[in-house]
């Protein structure tokens, strides 16, 4: 009987050691994933700042002036396009009719 109890105690001790080892491995992996998440969040923030810097109005304006040889709009260079009378109202009516037909087709 004592030998059986001794074997059970040794087996439970080995099981406890194994469970603690697995727990430490999982905790270590969790810690690594948390660090990776923080690094990725930092990288994402850095990229957002870089995108904002690239899209800054002064940079876009400088690119338009140098690369595209564009200048600011002035009254002498502005051209206005006039639609024939009644065309805008007709197009609006057609769009409204299409929207109403689409609403009627939906279940």
């Amino acid at each position: 009987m004592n030998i059986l109890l001794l074997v059970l105690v040794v087996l439970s001790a080995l099981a406890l050691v194994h469970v603690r080892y697995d727990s430490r491995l999982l905790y270590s992996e969790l810690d690594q994933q948390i660090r990776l998440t923080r690094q990725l969040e930092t990288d994402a923030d850095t990229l957002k700042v870089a995108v904002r810097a690239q899209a800054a109005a002064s940079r876009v304006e400088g690119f338009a002036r140098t690369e595209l040889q564009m200048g600011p709009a002035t009254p002498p260079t502005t051209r206005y396009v006039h639609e024939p009378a009644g065309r805008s109202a007709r197009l609006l009516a057609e769009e409204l009719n299409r929207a109403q037909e689409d609403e009627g087709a939906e279940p």
Side-chain angles (χ1 to χ4, degrees), residues 55-66:
S58 60
R59 179 170 167 73
V60 172
E61 185 177 343
F63 180 80
R65 286 179 192 262
T66 58

Side-chain angles (χ1 to χ4, degrees), residues 18-28:
H18 182 68
V19 167
R20 283 191 174 198
Y21 177 75
D22 286 345
S23 145
R24 286 185 181 144
L25 285 178
L26 290 174
Y27 183 76
S28 174

Side-chain angles (χ1 to χ4, degrees), residues 31-97:
D31 190 42
Q32 288 175 350
Q33 294 300 322
I34 289 172
R35 278 186 274 149
L36 179 62
T37 301
R38 287 183 184 146
Q39 180 63 39
L40 290 174
E41 288 172 350
T42 303
D43 291 346
D45 290 341
T46 302
L47 289 173
K48 286 177 186 175
V49 168
V51 165
R52 281 189 218 121
Q54 292 293 323
S58 60
R59 179 170 167 73
V60 172
E61 185 177 343
F63 180 80
R65 286 179 192 262
T66 58
E67 299 295 322
L68 302 176
Q69 287 130 16
M70 296 175 77
T74 59
T77 61
T78 304
R79 293 185 184 168
Y80 296 95
V81 178
H82 300 282
E83 289 189 32
R87 182 169 184 228
S88 297
R90 182 175 48 86
L91 290 175
L92 181 61
E94 288 175 3
E95 287 180 16
L96 286 173
N97 286 337

